Amino acid sequence: MSLQNSLSHEELEMFRDMAKKFLAKEIEPNHPQWEKQNFLPRDMWNTLGEAGMLCVDLPVEYGGSGVDFRFSQLILAEIARLGFVGLSGSVAIHSDIVAQYIFNIGNEQQKQFWLPQMATGEVVTAIAMTEPGAGSDLQGMRSTAIKEGDEYILNGSKTFITNGVNADMVIVCAKTDPKAGGKGISLFLVDANLPGFTKGKHLEKIGQHAGDTAELFFENVSVPASSLLGEEGKGFKYLMQELPRERVSIATSSVAAAEGALDWTIEYVKERKAFGQNISQFQNTRFKLAEVKTDIEINKAYVEKCVEKYMAKEMTVTEAAMVKLAATQMQCRVVDECLQLFGGYGYMAEYPIARAYVDARVQTIYAGTSEIMKEVISRDLLGR
Ligand SMILES: Cc1cc2nc3c(=O)[nH]c(=O)nc-3n(C[C@H](O)[C@H](O)[C@H](O)COP(=O)(O)OP(=O)(O)OC[C@H]3O[C@@H](n4cnc5c(N)ncnc54)[C@H](O)[C@@H]3O)c2cc1C
């Protein structure tokens, strides 16, 4: 029996307790300050790494803990449950997305070089697909990486890149054959210290203020040919292969964030009084909470099913699109309903529910918008 199969529900819950204690000590007290500063400090990554919170489902020989996908999802969920959806996204990009691209597509040398440093937090990573002129339509990207001898010369720019400011290494998607459309895209593991690679300022967002989001610029960056990830021209195929994991991870964070918002709301309505009674005694409040709880549980069941199917390598691209579509829209509905029950206090920035409202909004946009998810699902239905 493999280690992964031997891990029981009790072990998962023990790990959850450990993660919660770590977050309560190291992250929760500092997060409000990071929100105010509009930034995530670089050394937070070392703290996460030292506590064994990064890249946990990588095998031990690459610096991970050799546990299964549920454990990495658990970390994202416990961060999101505290209302730190941006941080959950940052960790997901590093531990769940970039690490898995390298693990699944990279050669042995690339895995041995990058993965252990990512697990300790010595190296922070990002993935750069989106460009100012190409988001949903990734095949329209204009960045190029043209081969010259033993190097590729990278030119172009990327935007909205999570972990962009702190990143030491970025998976950059660029066209190695600009005339070949989607078949001309390749992926590169680009060291952020290479000459010609510059980072724009931290982008200000309406929510997820502690999230690190940046523009990246490449001007004649000489990328060694050994940094090509996988095969030339297969970048778009790799993106389609790896995006489902990102979508399930976002759905996991949506469910946990909604559960967190419901917990705060239950607490609040039991305390707050109007017309001589607790808000919780109004039928509207009770019915809204009942609806919200039902909405969360239905989505949670589907997310759990997708996590299991992902682990069994049975989850389809369409299922990943459905779970992302459903769970992120649920999160937006839930935080909106919960905020309403806080009345005017729900609109005050000092209340976590106010932050949860703005933080949730982007979940239906990144990693493929809801509209693109519907395209993926309907294409499967109609066979186009
Ligand atoms: C906070 C944040 C973090 C992000 N992190 C990253 C990151 O780490 N790496 C990265 O590469 N990118 C990242 N992104 C980019 C994100 O993935 C894109 O913003 C997203 O894919 C949408 O692309 P766009 O912004 O260009 O919108 P557009 O593609 O211009 O879309 C605009 C609107 O048109 C709709 N639309 C587009 N095409 C269709 C269609 N075929 N049918 C129907 N409607 C359509 C969209 O759904 C949307 O409503 C991030 C974005 C944000 C805001």
Side-chain angles (χ1 to χ4, degrees):
M1 187 190 279
S2 75
L3 172 65
Q4 296 199 353
N5 293 334
S6 71
L7 288 165
S8 65
H9 181 72
E10 286 69 36
E11 283 166 302
L12 197 65
E13 289 312 309
M14 273 167 59
F15 187 73
R16 189 187 306 280
D17 273 355
M18 197 184 81
K20 279 181 156 176
K21 280 186 190 133
F22 164 77
L23 294 170
K25 182 163 175 265
E26 302 288 348
I27 304 295
E28 233 180 320
N30 298 316
H31 197 272
Q33 187 59 27
W34 301 341
E35 280 274 312
K36 275 201 196 111
Q37 288 171 343
N38 267 307
F39 198 56
L40 276 182
R42 172 63 181 83
D43 62 4
M44 179 211 68
W45 290 100
N46 303 83
T47 310
L48 285 170
E50 279 157 24
M53 294 286 142
L54 298 176
C55 308
V56 290
D57 64 342
L58 284 177
V60 175
E61 63 263 35
Y62 296 121
S65 305
V67 291
D68 67 52
F69 184 53
R70 292 170 303 163
F71 287 75
S72 80
Q73 294 294 286
L74 180 158
I75 293 170
L76 303 184
E78 293 314 320
I79 297 173
R81 191 184 309 283
L82 294 169
F84 308 154
V85 177
L87 177 58
S88 171
S90 275
V91 173
I93 290 283
H94 176 85
S95 289
D96 281 275
I97 316 305
V98 175
Q100 290 297 317
Y101 270 82
I102 300 172
F103 182 64
N104 293 329
I105 307 165
N107 59 37
E108 198 48 40
Q109 202 185 355
Q110 291 168 334
K111 290 189 211 182
Q112 284 186 9
F113 183 74
W114 292 112
L115 295 176
Q117 301 187 77
M118 288 175 65
T120 56
E122 285 161 88
V123 162
V124 177
T125 59
I127 178 160
M129 300 175 252
T130 306
E131 298 186 355
S136 303
D137 180 14
L138 280 175
Q139 298 194 29
M141 69 176 64
R142 298 175 70 167
S143 294
T144 54
I146 305 301
K147 193 151 190 209
E148 283 185 16
D150 281 347
E151 291 174 333
Y152 288 87
I153 307 301
L154 177 63
N155 279 290
S157 67
K158 299 285 175 182
T159 194
F160 305 148
I161 304 309
T162 302
N163 300 338
V165 175
N166 277 327
D168 302 296
M169 188 274 280
V170 181
I171 296 184
V172 178
C173 314
K175 287 201 168 151
T176 38
D177 182 355
K179 292 196 193 101
K183 291 200 173 115
I185 296 174
S186 303
L187 309 186
F188 296 90
L189 302 169
V190 181
D191 186 327
N193 291 314
L194 287 177
F197 184 145
T198 50
K199 297 169 175 178
K201 62 178 172 28
H202 171 73
L203 295 170
E204 279 188 33
K205 307 183 287 294
I206 61 167
Q208 301 196 358
H209 295 301
D212 165 0
T213 315
E215 287 176 290
L216 305 176
F217 304 96
F218 316 108
E219 202 184 334
N220 292 322
V221 182
S222 292
V223 179
S226 59
S227 302
L228 177 70
L229 182 64
E231 291 176 41
E232 197 179 290
K234 291 210 172 149
F236 194 70
K237 178 180 155 264
Y238 297 142
L239 296 179
M240 295 306 111
Q241 171 191 311
E242 299 297 323
L243 271 167
R245 178 171 166 128
E246 184 170 4
R247 290 175 180 158
V248 180
S249 298
I250 290 176
T252 293
S253 72
S254 284
V255 167
E259 286 180 324
L262 176 59
D263 288 346
W264 308 326
T265 311
I266 291 171
E267 213 174 291
Y268 184 80
V269 297
K270 283 184 181 164
E271 295 290 324
R272 177 77 178 165
K273 287 192 168 47
F275 298 95
Q277 54 184 321
N278 290 331
I279 301 284
S280 59
Q281 289 170 287
F282 297 125
Q283 188 191 57
N284 177 66
T285 305
R286 291 184 289 111
F287 281 15
K288 281 293 174 204
L289 292 177
E291 282 173 16
V292 160
K293 174 71 175 165
T294 308
D295 210 357
I296 293 173
E297 287 301 321
I298 287 170
N299 277 278
K300 189 173 183 175
Y302 191 44
V303 171
E304 284 173 358
K305 181 179 169 188
C306 285
V307 168
E308 274 171 29
K309 288 187 91 170
Y310 176 84
M311 283 168 47
K313 299 193 188 330
E314 287 169 2
M315 188 186 68
T316 65
V317 170
T318 307
E319 284 169 317
M322 289 196 291
V323 78
K324 199 236 170 204
L325 173 69
T328 56
Q329 292 193 342
M330 175 279 296
Q331 181 188 358
C332 291
R333 270 194 309 276
V334 163
V335 290
D336 187 36
E337 295 285 12
C338 288
L339 186 149
Q340 186 71 16
L341 293 173
F342 278 76
Y345 292 98
Y347 201 66
M348 295 299 120
E350 70 180 277
Y351 277 72
I353 193 68
R355 201 182 59 229
Y357 181 78
V358 281
D359 286 358
R361 189 61 189 85
V362 73
Q363 297 267 85
T364 62
I365 293 174
Y366 49 30
T369 64
S370 291
E371 292 71 32
I372 295 301
M373 297 305 97
K374 289 178 200 175
E375 274 295 329
V376 172
I377 300 158
S378 61
R379 238 177 265 157
D380 189 25
L381 283 174
L382 301 170
R384 186 175 67 82

